[in-house]
Structure formats: C-alpha cells, structure tokens
Amino acid sequence: MSDLAKTFIKSKLSSLPENTTNNSNPTPPSSSSKPPPSTTNGTNTTTKRPPPSPSPSDSDSSTSSISSTGTILPPPSQATPPPTTWPSYFTSELYLTRPATPNQPAAKYHIYLTPPQTPTSPLLILHHGAGSSALSFSLLAQSLHQHLPTAGILALDARNHGSVVWDSPSTPSTDFSLEALSDDLISILHLTQQYESWVSLPPLVLIGHSLGGAVITHVTSLTPTPLPSLLGYIVLDVVEGSAIEALSHMQTLLAHRPSSFSSVDEAIDWHIRSRTLRNPESARASVPSLLVIRKKDWNTGAGGQPGNWEWRTDLGATKPYWENWFRGMSGKFLAGRGAKMLILAGTDRLDKELMIGQMQGKFQLHVFPTAGHFVHEDVPEKTAEAVAEFVKRNDRSALVLPPKVSELLAQGKKV
Amino acid sequence: MSIGGSDLDKAIAQLRACRPIPENQVRELCYKARELLIEEGNVVGVDAPVTICGDIHGQFHDLMELFRVGGDVPDTNYLFMGDFVDRGFYSLESFLLLLCLKVRYPDRITLIRGNHESRQITTVYGFYDECVRKYGSANVWRYCCDVFDFLALGALVTGAATSLSPTEGPLAENAEAMPDIDADIEIETLNSAGEVMFRYARNSDSQTSESSQTLGSSPARPDPTPTRVGAAGTGASGSSNGTSRNEGGAVLCVHGGLSPLIDTIDKIRLLDRKQEVPHEGAMCDLLWSDPDDIDGWGLSPRGAGFLFGGDIVKRFNHNNDISLIARAHQLVMEGFKEMFDNTIVTVWSAPNYCYRCGNVAAILELGEDGSNAGFQRRSNGDRGGGGGGWVLGSNDGTSTRNSTDNLRLPEGPGRRYRVFEAAPQDSRGMPAKKPVADYFL
C-alpha cells in the first residue's frame, strides 16, 4: 500500500463515527456481557415457558403440550422467522403422548416433523446423541429438504432430552438402556403413524448420531424386525472400538465443561470457542434446546441462581449405561438388514470389525476431515449431500437393475 | 537431474530400504512412467508365467515379504492389480518402488489401477497426508496422481498352463490328504516357506473331494460337493469341448470386477481412461464392483460399482473366451477366494491389513503352457520347496449344474497360491497411535 493510500484511508477513518472504530477492537469485556437482542428475546419468552422453543409460537406450544397430541404450525405473523427456531427447519412440532399400559410406561415424546409429500416418499428418522437434541439436526434437515423435497423428516428428542417417560405419574424414568431408547424410537414411529393417519409406515431411513447411532443400529438388529419398511440406515461419527476407548475420558470431558451459563448466548459462545460445535449458525439453532433455566429450590437451597442456564440432561447420570450403548455395535451395524452408511468426522477411526467390513465392501463410508464430532452440525450441506445420494441410490421405487441372465434365457435371448 | 540407468538403480536401492527419493527424482520418475504407461492399452496383454497380486495399501514391509515369497523383479514376472496406496504407513515408498521397477523392467511388471489410485480417495485415506508429511508439500502427491490417470484398467494373461506339476517340496504340518501325484493338479496352496498346504486335482475323484470337505473353510475349497463330472481322463484332450478355442482360456485381471455396461473385453479397450476415476459408468464399475452370491446384478453397498452374480461371470467368461477372472478389492481373511465354480478369484496381498485385521495374504502364480520357450524355474534361495515346474496337460471338466453352467467354459489355468503372513514390523517410523477420539456421547 502506498503512503498516499495510507494517508487517504487514515483521513477517511478518522472521519467515521467513533463507535465504528471501537467495533474493530477485540471484543471488550463490556460488550460481551451486554446481551444482544436475540438473548433479550429468548429470556423474555422463558418467562412464559422454558426452551426448547424460545419463539413467539411458545404460547401455542405450551397449551398444546398439555393436550394429548398437538401440532404447532408457525404463526402467519412469523414471515421471516429468526434462524434460531424450529419453524425455519421443520413443518411442525409435535408432542405425542402415550398413556401407561401394562406393557409400556406413560410417555410424552417431543418431535419435529416434516411429513413425506407422497405415499412412496421415504421418511428420514433423525436420532441425536447423548446430551444433544432434535434441533441439532436443524441445518441438516434444511439441506435435506432441498436435496430431497418430497422426503419426510422426523427429528426426535430422546427421553430426558425433551421427551419424558414416566416410571410412575410423578417419577420420570431414569432407564437409559439401549433397549429402552430403542423402544422409544419405535413407539414414536407408531404414534406418528397414528397421528398422521398413515395406512402403513413409509419407507424408512434411520439416521443416528453418536448414542443415536447406537440406538438405530440396535433397532435394525431386532428380530422380528419392528420396521419392515426400512430402506437403510446411516450412523454419524461413532465407532464401537473408539467409543469404548473414549469412555474413560468422558468423565474428564464432562467435568471440564461449564455446569451453567448466564445466558443462552454465553452457552452458544462456549460451544464455538471450545470447538464442540464449529458452525455458529448451527450452534444458534441447537444450543438453546440443550439448556433449561433452573429455578432455585427454596426448600433445599439447591439450584443455581435465578436466571442461570443449566444443561437439560444430566449426562453424568447416564454413566452406568455408556458401555451398554456401544458394546457390540459394530457387529450389529454389519449384520443389520438394509443399506448401511457410516459418516465419520476428522479421521477414519474404524475398529477392526468395521475395517474388515469396509474392505469387504459391506457398507459405504464417508470421512469429512474438516468436521468435528457433531458432523451434521459442522458440515450440514456435505452431510445432506451424502445422505441424499444414499437415499436416492437405495430408493427401491426408482431402482432399475440390468436383467439377469436367467431372465434373458427365459426370453429366448442368446447370452 | 534425470533418472535413468544407474540413477534408477540407486533409486530402487534407496526405496527398497524404505527411504523416499528426492522430490525432483519423483517428478522425473513419474514423467518417465507416464510416457511408458500411455503406450499401454486399457487392457494390457501379459504372457504367462506371471504372478498376480492384489491390494498392497502402503504396507511396504509386507510388499518386501511378498517379493521374498514370490521371487524378485525381474526374475519373477509380476502383475499388481491396484490399490498400492492408502491406509498403510508407507504408501509413498511402496508405490514409488513399484513405479521404479516398472520403468526399469517394463516387461516384467504390470501395474493396473485400483479404486484407491484416485485424487478423491487418497485425500481421505492417507496417501495425500503422507506425501505432505514426508515432503512438506503436495507436489509429490500431484505427480503420483498424474501417473494414476495413465494406469491401465485391466490385463489379459494368455498362455497359462492348465495344470501344475506338483511342487516337490515338503508338506506343511497341517497339510490335508493329497490327491494322487500323477493326477493333473489344478490348484496348489503353499505357505510362505514353500511347503504344500493343499493340493487339488482337476476332475478330482471322491478321495480328494473328501479331503476338500475336511478342509471345511479352506479358501481353496472347491465346492464341498463335486461339481465337475467324470473322473480324470474322461474327455481326453483339452480341445475336446468341440470348440476351436485355446485350451487354456485367458485370464482377465481387473481390480474390482465387471460392469453392466461392459459385455466384451473390447468394450474396455474403447474407454477413455486418462482421467480421475468417475463416480459412475464402466470405468468406475471395473474398479469398484464385487462378485456376490446373487442372480444377476445388484446394488453395491459400497455406494459405487455393482454386485454381480455367478451367471454374469460365466456368461462374460464364455463370451470372451476367458477361463478365469482374477480381481482384488475385497479383503479375504484367507488371502484368496475362488467363487462360482472357480470362474473368478479374489486375490488379497496385504497381510494383517491396516496392521489390525489379522488376515493372511496371497499371490497367484500362473505357469506357462509350454507353447512358448520353456519355463525356467526361478532360482530364489529364500524360498523353500523348489522343484516342480509347470507342465502342459489338460482334461475336460465342464460342469453341468444349472442353466449358466451349460455354457462351455474354457478350462481354467493351473493355479498356485502362495499364502504369507505379515512381515515382522519394525515399529520405528510408525506414526504414533492415533489420538483417542474426543467423543461426546
């Protein structure tokens, strides 16, 4: 840059208003503590109802969550919804309730649904990992909708992650076994089928991240299969071998994350700074749903200060189940019916069983080197492309294979 | 500097010691290799005898073990069916050594392309990172990828003998009952010490089929039930199929398998191969497809290529006068696996794949039928066994099991498999163990 140019720019800069130059400074403590407008919005809505949906539609959802089954559609006033709420990514939010029966406990499941557009369109089921939520699939769902406009998308909250299953009318269940979570997934599908009045379940593609991957893999291994219309399944960034190895570090990881945040924005910021999430847009969509405001318990004195945001799910309480989740997963993944795909973040960390399976051509593998563990949040567009290609490829209604030799012979053709 | 003559020999010596050669030599080498490869057709003609090898995947020390077991270049004529790079820690040294040998002895080593010889795949599965780590830039990776684009897509081996003369070596401890030494030997399996582990006679009688049953899961197991009719000696001469076909039939070598778009070998010859491996189409299928126990064609779970059944293989072999398709691409725990009444074989040459899979590796030796100048037994002091060249001999052995079996197939070549295990690993130079995943649950 020439001296002349420098002088010119300097003179231009000095003529700009004072606060513009202030903004170019590294964020001063004062500005970070000042909540931006979105926080104000979120905090305001929590007075009516805590997250996961800090949106103007909250009043609707809180009423319908009491009723047995309710659909919340985005209100017409919400022409350009803020990017952090579910109406940008899904058609409806549902609370599906199930009364207690002798075989099953009472439950209230929370899901987001974009129904399939035609009877033959596939339905993609998205199951998040431990400590995450349905909204972690927000951006993926948005991209998937662009690639597969007629496909349906169902993102669910697992129990204690937005859904509740009760042991008794007053005690939420603490059973976190793979079997219980798998039952939840199957129940949600059947409740959705009833709610949407589908004659039968559409062709299904199960997609699970981390713990969710273990759940969907377990579902595919059940006999007799509870989901005869299953086309295939996709596991996002979890491998039995490396997951079991990592379990011993999980406690340390858990201990090192903050137990509460003073605001949703602070929590989003932490997720980005710690590189837990690497895509700020996705963090804005997913992080609010991970938190709840804990009111001080005046009887015991427990609980955070008023206004403190804490994790919705107590991951530490799930520790007894960690091995149960992942043990035997690779074998189940390879043995399950249907097409299989594994999407890994960072490096290829296949265990021995999957390495053999991959080199024998038993499943499709994608590795996204730039992504972190939350691969669907970090690179939603790339993930959606891979998923869409997988769905299209395995969509039986569109599949045409070359003829068999025996058919040619039967037609009297020379082979 | 130019790489040729003694420089090339120096480079070979350096690479054999598992030391990379300087970047400018790589550039020169790749340039020379491209000049050579561009002259080759999509389907390279190869005369037997030849030793056919499957995936290597950068397992340099195991490649050295392969040369110890199979003989050295140029003493042994080699055909490598691709996947030289990725996953192992020495893709660079392995590929450059093979390439040096190709430039130095162009008629004694044939390299064809695998699905990992591609820009997209190598950026994910290790070769790219290895080049950047060892040279500080991606230049060498780029030179190598330019060579990948020129590699042939397949090879056609002609002049292979239809039977082996048994190796006069000692029998392995766990060797199964052997057929009569006078029988025409179709398959022989040797361990890395050259000891005979298994021998199978063409048109085998009940005794050998019994032995093959006791072998149970042996990779060389022809069908548990004898599928070939008639005892040895029926059918008399090899041309008694009533066709004027060569008695042996050629062997097509390709990395993956067949394509629904390719019904004749000539169609492979018409492809424009000088490009990155496409995501679909004939060229992609040849490098990605797998045989499977299905009828006709199926979707490949890999996401590229197809699955193809025994009917497809038999029809293709019949229409193209091929007795056998040799391919790689799939890990086989036993090193090799014949399928569909011995019409296709998978050869896997990376023992203990990725340093953790616990598999053995194999190479496939085809002898020559004696119509050329006589076969010279390689002298390789390192190899046990010795003796036993290849002899001309044949018997008619057409099986008649189902509709496609009515197709008359040329008689398969005599096949000697040498099975070997991973070389003792020197852990020095191995990258540190991958860090534990920073998983969240």
Side-chain angles (χ1 to χ4, degrees), chain A residues 210 348 350 359-360 373, chain B residues 87 330-331 356 434 440-441:
Chain A
S210 218
D348 135 33
L350 299 178
M359 243 358 193
Q360 293 182 337
H373 178 50
Chain B
R87 283 270 167 70
Q330 275 179 302
L331 171 59
R356 73 184 97 151
K434 271 182 199 161
F440 232 56
L441 295 165

Side-chain angles (χ1 to χ4, degrees), chain A residues 242-400:
Chain A
S242 40
I244 300 269
E245 246 177 77
L247 284 184
S248 53
H249 306 265
M250 276 307 304
Q251 290 255 283
T252 329
L253 264 170
L254 283 182
H256 278 85
R257 55 175 206 169
S259 57
S260 67
F261 301 95
S262 63
S263 68
V264 171
D265 268 16
E266 190 191 293
I268 293 172
D269 191 45
W270 176 83
H271 276 88
I272 298 297
R273 270 189 298 108
S274 64
R275 312 251 309 145
T276 307
L277 299 179
R278 301 175 186 184
N279 179 349
E281 192 188 349
S282 186
R284 283 198 296 276
S286 65
V287 171
S289 65
L290 310 181
L291 307 165
V292 286
I293 285 209
R294 293 257 184 260
K295 296 231 169 62
K296 190 174 169 84
D297 184 332
W298 296 105
N299 296 323
T300 62
Q305 296 156 349
N308 249 20
W309 294 83
E310 297 185 4
W311 300 105
R312 173 188 293 275
T313 310
D314 179 7
L315 277 180
T318 64
K319 184 167 189 281
Y321 297 98
W322 290 352
E323 259 203 61
N324 162 269
W325 292 346
F326 300 115
R327 194 64 77 187
M329 184 184 169
S330 291
K332 284 188 261 182
F333 177 78
L334 291 172
R337 291 168 51 258
K340 322 162 173 57
M341 182 157 83
L342 177 61
I343 297 180
L344 294 180
T347 55
D348 135 33
R349 46 171 85 98
L350 299 178
D351 56 22
K352 175 181 167 180
E353 214 169 347
L354 289 186
M355 186 63 85
I356 293 174
Q358 199 245 339
M359 243 358 193
Q360 293 182 337
K362 301 247 176 84
F363 63 94
Q364 194 175 351
L365 175 65
H366 275 282
V367 181
F368 295 139
T370 56
H373 178 50
F374 291 85
V375 52
H376 50 296
E377 296 205 54
D378 292 351
V379 287
E381 180 54 33
K382 270 184 166 175
T383 310
E385 265 173 38
V387 171
E389 191 206 313
F390 175 87
V391 172
K392 284 178 190 160
R393 189 180 163 83
N394 290 290
D395 183 357
R396 281 172 208 144
S397 63
L399 181 63
V400 183

Side-chain angles (χ1 to χ4, degrees), chain B residues 190-357:
Chain B
L190 276 60
N191 64 18
S192 61
E195 296 165 344
V196 181
M197 298 158 69
F198 176 69
R199 191 175 280 155
Y200 180 75
R202 196 179 296 277
N203 303 331
S204 64
D205 55 20
S206 57
Q207 183 206 336
T208 48
S209 65
E210 198 177 299
S211 84
S212 66
Q213 270 177 335
T214 57
L215 243 102
S217 63
S218 160
R221 165 186 41 90
D223 277 317
T225 50
T227 56
R228 296 167 184 276
V229 294
T234 58
S237 79
S239 53
S240 70
N241 278 355
T243 65
S244 56
R245 199 175 290 140
N246 287 342
E247 60 188 16
V251 177
L252 177 69
C253 303
V254 61
H255 179 73
L258 298 176
S259 165
L261 300 167
I262 299 284
D263 55 359
T264 65
I265 294 176
D266 280 340
K267 286 207 177 145
I268 305 178
R269 295 191 167 102
L270 292 176
L271 298 172
D272 175 18
R273 77 167 190 267
K274 292 162 189 92
Q275 53 168 323
E276 172 79 342
V277 182
H279 285 120
E280 54 187 18
M283 180 169 159
C284 166
D285 298 342
L286 291 169
L287 271 55
W288 278 92
S289 296
D290 295 312
D292 195 24
D293 290 316
I294 54 169
D295 233 12
W297 298 94
L299 269 187
S300 170
R302 294 179 186 263
F306 286 88
L307 299 177
F308 52 96
D311 57 334
I312 302 292
V313 174
K314 285 173 184 170
R315 178 176 56 155
F316 185 90
N317 287 8
H318 174 260
N319 290 349
N320 290 280
D321 261 6
I322 292 173
S323 59
L324 179 71
I325 295 175
R327 43 90 61 176
H329 195 42
Q330 275 179 302
L331 171 59
V332 185
M333 297 306 282
E334 300 85 2
F336 68 97
K337 183 185 182 186
E338 297 193 348
M339 292 173 76
F340 309 147
D341 298 326
N342 319 86
T343 53
I344 188 166
V345 61
T346 302
V347 180
W348 180 266
S349 305
N352 194 25
Y353 174 58
C354 227
Y355 313 108
R356 73 184 97 151
C357 287

Side-chain angles (χ1 to χ4, degrees), chain A residues 207-221:
Chain A
I207 303 172
H209 173 244
S210 218
L211 163 62
V215 174
I216 62 136
T217 303
H218 184 70
V219 169
T220 65
S221 76

